[in-house]
Amino acid sequence: MSSPAYRPLPPATYFAPAKLNLDLRVGAPRADGFHPIRSWFVTVGLFDRLDFSPADDIRLTCSDPTIPVDGRNLVVRAAEALRPGDGRGVLIHLEKSIPAGGGLGGGSSDAATTLLALNEFWKLGLPIDRLHDIAATLGSDVPFFLHGPSSLCEGRGDVVTPVPPPGCGQALLVLPGLHMPTPAVFKRLDELRPTVPDFAHGTVVVGGAGALALLPGLSNDLETPAFDLRPELAELRQEIEGIVARPVRMSGSGSTLFTLYDTDAEAQAAQTVVTQKTGMRCVVAGICPGPRHGSLQ
Ligand code: C5P
C-alpha cells in the first residue's frame, strides 16, 4: 500500500542521451580488476526515451526484443535501488535508439535517467550525492550521466569533474552494428601491453578548441585492443578517414566511430557521403545538447 501522503504523478517522459569519449586514457588494472581511466565524456544528441507511469510493482517493457527487461537491465536495477518500502511501483517503457554494445553508454544513461526520473516521480527528494553513490553501484559510466554534459571522468569512471564543452558543435557517428563486449576489450588491452606504466600515453585532452584543432590531439587507448579483436573496424576507420579527410576516433570500447564538425551543414554533408560510400548507419548528433531530463509531456 502506498503511504497516504503519496500521490502518483501523471505519466512522464524523459530522454536519456548517448555519450562520446572524446579522449580516453587507460592505466594498468587495479587490484579490484577495474582499470583507472582519465576520459573526457560529453553527451550527444542521440536519445533513448523512457516513459514512466504509476504501477504497483516495478515493470519494464522495451521496444528492442533482444534487450532483457528483468534484473539484468540497469533500468530495473536502478528502480529497485531507489524504491521506497511502501509499495510504490512504476511501469517503465524504454524506447531504444542508442545501439547496445556501441560504446555510447546507452544502458548507463538509461539507468541514470531512471534515477533522476524516479527521484521526482516518487517524490523522494534525494540529493545528487546520494544518487551518485547509487549510480556508482550500477556501473562505472552511470554517474557521468547524472552530471554531464562535459566532464573529466577518473577513477574507474565514477569520479566526475565538469569541464568546459568543446568548441565544436556536431559529431558524426558511424554505427557499424558490431557489439563490442567491454570486459573483453579491456582484457585484450592488458594482454597487448602487460607492462605499460599508468597513463603512459600522456595527459587527457580537454578544451574548447574547434573540430580541426581538437581532433589530432584526441586518442583512445581502447582502439588498439578493439581493432585487434575486430580488424574490420580498423579498416572501416581508415576508409572513413579517407572520405572525410580528418581524424576519426572510436568511442569507449567501440564499436562507434566518430569525427567532429563545427557546423551542422558540414556534418550533414559528411553524413551523406559516408553513408553512400560505406553503407553504414550514420547519425549527426549535437555535442552537449540541452538537458531533456524531466520533460513532462
Ligand atoms: O562498471 P561496468 O559494469 O560498466 O564495467 C564493465 C566491465 O568493464 C568491468 O567488469 C571491467 O571488466 C571493465 N572495466 C574496467 N575498467 C573500468 C570500467 C570497466 O576494466 N574503468
Side-chain angles (χ1 to χ4, degrees), residues 78 107-117 135 138 142-146 293:
S108 299
S109 185
D110 296 340
T113 299
T114 299
L115 293 177
L116 291 167
L138 298 171
V142 182
F144 162 72
F145 288 101
L146 296 176
H293 293 306

Side-chain angles (χ1 to χ4, degrees), residues 61-242:
T61 58
C62 183
S63 60
D64 180 345
T66 67
I67 291 179
V69 290
D70 56 16
R72 287 170 292 171
N73 194 303
L74 286 180
V75 167
V76 173
R77 285 167 46 202
E80 283 170 348
L82 268 199
R83 190 184 194 190
D86 62 1
R88 283 174 230 191
V90 65
L91 170 63
I92 306 170
H93 179 69
L94 172 59
E95 199 69 34
K96 286 298 288 181
S97 296
I98 307 171
L104 295 171
S108 299
S109 185
D110 296 340
T113 299
T114 299
L115 293 177
L116 291 167
L118 290 180
N119 195 35
E120 289 181 25
F121 194 70
W122 284 335
K123 299 177 186 168
L124 301 176
L126 296 177
I128 196 76
D129 288 359
R130 177 77 190 109
L131 296 181
H132 182 113
D133 291 345
I134 296 169
T137 68
L138 298 171
S140 304
D141 291 352
V142 182
F144 162 72
F145 288 101
L146 296 176
H147 303 278
S150 174
S151 300
L152 178 65
C153 296
E154 298 172 282
R156 65 182 173 91
D158 56 332
V159 181
V160 182
T161 309
V163 294
C168 51
Q170 301 293 323
L172 174 67
L173 314 181
V174 182
L175 312 171
L178 289 176
H179 190 290
M180 298 299 286
T182 301
V185 177
F186 275 105
K187 183 162 168 279
R188 194 78 193 105
L189 174 74
D190 296 338
E191 290 162 357
L192 290 172
R193 54 167 218 192
T195 57
V196 78
D198 272 4
F199 304 116
H201 292 70
T203 314
V204 67
V205 172
V206 294
L212 286 174
L214 196 58
L215 276 164
L218 301 178
S219 79
N220 178 349
D221 287 345
L222 294 181
E223 282 178 1
T224 302
F227 293 170
D228 186 73
L229 290 169
R230 302 302 294 254
E232 65 270 40
L233 211 48
E235 287 165 24
L236 179 63
R237 191 254 284 270
Q238 205 175 4
E239 185 187 354
I240 301 167
E241 285 190 331

